[in-house]
């Protein structure tokens, strides 16, 4: 049993954290009474919080109470996979940046957003992105490279509002679907100034079959991009990261 709640647990976020941490003791299902015993929060408050957490998928109703929801499981896996992918990919990103002389980025897909895991900067160019930052997937080469191999996410992106980031941003759902089909066939995605003015990008999905586990890109000024050589370099790096990731995990089936 826990002692009196800490000051932080008097906030809404603190109360939510205390509810979720109650499952740390190995209990798969907790009743309102169990949650009350762990958190010392009033049952009326717990009932309201549990309902709200069920609505966002962090908890699920189960026989006898509540259990951790699949959405929280997915987010946890995203953090674990992202950390592993970032560690394995970094030397390959550095090698790619040295080869092409431009900025290199690694990202994963979270619903319809790109989440940037790593960046390797080369030269004076500073990108308007950051590690841990987000950008809508529909307007980035990284995002389109992953959307092309995730039908559910692609449909969600095409159904959502797609404001113009630049005059070249694809904002028509039909045009986006056509673009994603081209990417599926070619295995490479381009951003010709769709996310940021004067910046272009080449990206490849990190995958063998099924959904991509991430994507890698090269970004530079429009006048400096060597499209053909950069495309091949990005493809090779994506394959190398896939092979390294599954070599570390001891899984069979590296790219050939």
């Amino acid at each position: 049993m826990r002692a009196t709640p800490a000051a932080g647990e008097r906030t809404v976020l603190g109360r939510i954290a205390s509810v979720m941490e109650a499952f740390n003791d190995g209990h798969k299902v907790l009743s309102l009474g169990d949650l009350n015993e762990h958190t010392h929060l009033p049952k009326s408050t717990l009932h309201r919080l549990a309902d709200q957490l069920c609505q966002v998928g962090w908890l699920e109703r189960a026989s006898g109470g509540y259990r951790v929801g699949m959405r929280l499981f997915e987010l946890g896996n995203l953090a674990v996979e992202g950390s592993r992918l970032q560690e394995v990919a970094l030397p390959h990103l550095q090698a790619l940046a040295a080869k092409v002389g431009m900025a290199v980025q690694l990202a994963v897909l979270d619903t319809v957003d790109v989440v940037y895991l790593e960046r390797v900067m080369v030269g004076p160019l500073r990108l308007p992105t950051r590690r841990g930052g987000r950008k809508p997937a529909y307007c980035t080469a990284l995002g389109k490279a992953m959307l092309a191999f995730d039908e559910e996410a692609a449909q969600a992106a095409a159904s959502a509002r797609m404001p113009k980031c630049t005059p070249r941003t694809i904002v028509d759902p039909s045009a986006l679907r056509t673009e994603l089909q081209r990417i599926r066939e070619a295995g490479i995605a381009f951003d010709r100034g769709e996310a940021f003015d004067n910046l272009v990008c080449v990206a490849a999905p990190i995958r063998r079959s099924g959904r991509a586990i991430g994507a890698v890109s090269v970004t530079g000024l429009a006048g400096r991009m060597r499209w053909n050589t950069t495309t091949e370099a990005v493809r090779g790096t994506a394959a190398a990261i896939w092979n390294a990731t599954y070599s570390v995990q001891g899984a069979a089936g590296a790219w050939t």
Side-chain angles (χ1 to χ4, degrees):
M1 181 180 295
R2 295 181 55 184
T4 302
E9 294 178 3
R10 298 177 191 139
T11 67
V12 173
L13 184 58
R15 290 173 178 177
I16 290 173
S18 68
V19 169
M20 300 311 302
E21 288 170 2
F23 292 88
N24 283 346
D25 292 336
H27 302 291
K28 292 184 178 180
V29 177
L30 294 176
S31 67
L32 276 179
D34 295 328
L35 290 172
N36 171 259
E37 182 179 350
H38 281 271
T39 66
H40 300 285
L41 294 172
K43 288 187 177 180
S44 59
T45 299
L46 287 169
H47 189 272
R48 183 177 67 254
L49 287 175
D51 280 348
Q52 293 171 347
L53 290 168
C54 284
Q55 290 175 20
V56 298
W58 287 21
L59 290 181
E60 293 176 352
R61 290 179 177 83
S63 178
Y66 302 89
R67 64 187 175 203
V68 173
M70 284 303 298
R71 180 56 180 158
L72 196 63
F73 176 75
E74 291 169 1
L75 291 173
N77 274 347
L78 179 64
V80 172
E81 290 296 327
S83 176
R84 183 185 302 122
L85 180 62
Q86 179 184 13
E87 180 181 354
V88 171
L90 184 56
H92 300 282
L93 303 178
Q94 292 169 333
L96 177 60
K99 181 176 183 178
V100 300
M102 286 182 281
V104 172
Q105 299 189 99
L106 174 74
V108 293
L109 188 66
D110 183 20
T111 314
V112 295
D113 287 340
V114 163
V115 179
Y116 296 95
L117 295 185
E118 187 58 86
R119 305 188 315 165
V120 178
M121 308 300 293
V122 176
L125 179 64
R126 290 295 174 262
L127 301 183
T129 58
R130 62 177 178 83
R131 280 188 295 181
R134 288 175 175 264
K135 189 75 177 173
Y138 71 90
C139 64
T140 67
L142 285 163
K144 291 187 293 183
M146 292 182 282
L147 287 177
F149 299 97
D150 187 332
E151 184 60 32
E152 183 179 348
Q155 289 180 0
S159 300
R161 182 172 171 268
M162 296 188 290
K164 272 187 175 292
C165 299
T166 77
R168 290 166 293 281
T169 307
I170 297 174
V171 295
D172 177 68
S174 178
L176 178 62
R177 294 188 187 97
T178 299
E179 173 76 348
L180 296 181
Q181 178 59 37
R182 184 201 65 76
I183 294 167
R184 277 191 290 273
E185 294 170 356
I188 201 80
F190 301 111
D191 165 8
R192 294 182 171 88
E194 298 162 41
F196 301 101
D197 277 321
N198 300 320
L199 288 180
V200 295
C201 185
V202 179
I206 302 169
R207 65 182 291 275
R208 183 185 184 189
S209 61
R211 295 180 181 178
I213 62 171
V216 59
S217 71
V218 167
T219 302
L221 296 173
R224 289 197 58 205
M225 181 63 71
R226 295 170 294 172
W227 295 99
N228 291 337
T229 56
T230 301
T231 293
E232 293 310 309
V234 172
R235 284 186 198 273
T237 299
I241 293 172
W242 171 272
N243 288 338
T245 300
Y246 282 86
S247 174
V248 167
Q249 293 180 352
W255 272 359
T256 57

